[in-house]
Amino acid sequence: MADDAQHEHTFESADAGASTTFPMQCSALRKNGFVVIKNRPCKIVDMSTSKTGKHGHAKVHLTGIDIFTGKKLEELCPSTHNMDVPNVTRREYQLIDISDDGFLSLMSDDGDTKDDVKVPEGDVGDKIAKMFKGEEKDTSEWLLDYKIRNGVLTATDVIVLTSMGEEVAIDAKEAPRS
């Protein structure tokens, strides 16, 4: 039975094993799609194909914007080669709170909470903060009661993009509360 002890393994990872990217032929990529350029998930904003000489390959010039940093990145790839395409998910969460240290407290449709998304800088962050503060100022008891009775109470939904182990809030919108 000493043989059994040598076959016991401890696995540290608990994920489902899903890949963060999948391969796609360069010529099959399209504008407004996603691609990995310099190990960063990017949205394709421009692409052009150039024909080369008699025995050369056509090359695809890709220009993308990093979906997390907004930086412009470029890549030149033979059209027959594969490039990685990131798995990008877009989810809506209800905004519960904004912490003092700049993190959003969010709730999914199934009631799970998430507190690890930072308030983005710039216009999107300002919009989220403004919508959240707008909610707080309308909390007088009679107004709240009126809004509940007439079904006009609103919440702020935050749209979060997730890819390659990173996530960012990209937009916010008013949503009716149920």
Side-chain angles (χ1 to χ4, degrees):
M1 288 300 168
D3 220 16
D4 289 338
Q6 112 185 56
H7 292 291
E8 285 184 32
H9 299 285
T10 304
F11 297 98
E12 300 298 323
S13 176
D15 65 15
S19 177
T20 58
T21 63
F22 61 93
M24 183 181 284
Q25 192 167 349
C26 207
S27 60
L29 296 169
R30 296 288 172 255
K31 190 173 177 179
N32 294 325
F34 296 102
V35 69
V36 176
I37 300 176
K38 295 177 177 60
N39 291 321
R40 300 295 303 160
C42 298
K43 184 169 186 168
I44 301 169
V45 293
D46 188 38
M47 65 183 293
S48 59
T49 306
S50 61
K51 305 285 183 206
T52 58
K54 196 193 297 189
H55 299 291
H57 292 281
K59 296 218 186 311
V60 177
H61 180 254
L62 294 164
T63 304
I65 303 291
D66 187 314
I67 61 176
F68 297 115
T69 65
K71 289 183 181 174
K72 182 175 164 181
L73 298 168
E74 296 187 57
E75 182 80 37
L76 192 62
C77 174
S79 63
T80 55
H81 287 199
N82 283 343
M83 288 196 73
D84 285 332
V85 175
N87 287 314
V88 179
T89 56
R90 175 189 172 106
R91 281 194 68 188
E92 283 188 26
Y93 296 91
Q94 184 176 336
L95 179 61
I96 301 169
D97 195 14
I98 299 175
S99 68
D100 293 335
D101 58 350
F103 284 89
L104 301 170
S105 182
L106 305 167
M107 184 171 61
S108 66
D109 289 338
D110 56 5
D112 294 333
T113 58
K114 129 184 235 67
D115 301 306
D116 58 351
V117 178
K118 204 156 180 48
V119 176
E121 294 183 12
D123 294 342
V124 175
D126 294 344
K127 179 179 179 181
I128 292 170
K130 187 176 177 183
M131 290 177 81
F132 183 69
K133 284 185 174 74
E135 266 179 39
E136 286 182 336
K137 71 179 179 202
D138 288 340
T139 54
S140 64
E141 209 166 308
W142 70 269
L143 184 60
L144 192 60
D145 185 49
Y146 170 82
K147 286 183 171 187
I148 291 170
R149 279 187 280 119
N150 292 293
V152 293
L153 191 61
T154 60
T156 300
D157 278 355
V158 175
I159 296 127
V160 176
L161 274 188
T162 306
S163 181
M164 297 175 68
E166 293 182 62
E167 44 191 6
V168 67
I170 60 161
D171 199 8
K173 64 181 185 177
E174 260 189 21
R177 282 198 185 154
S178 46

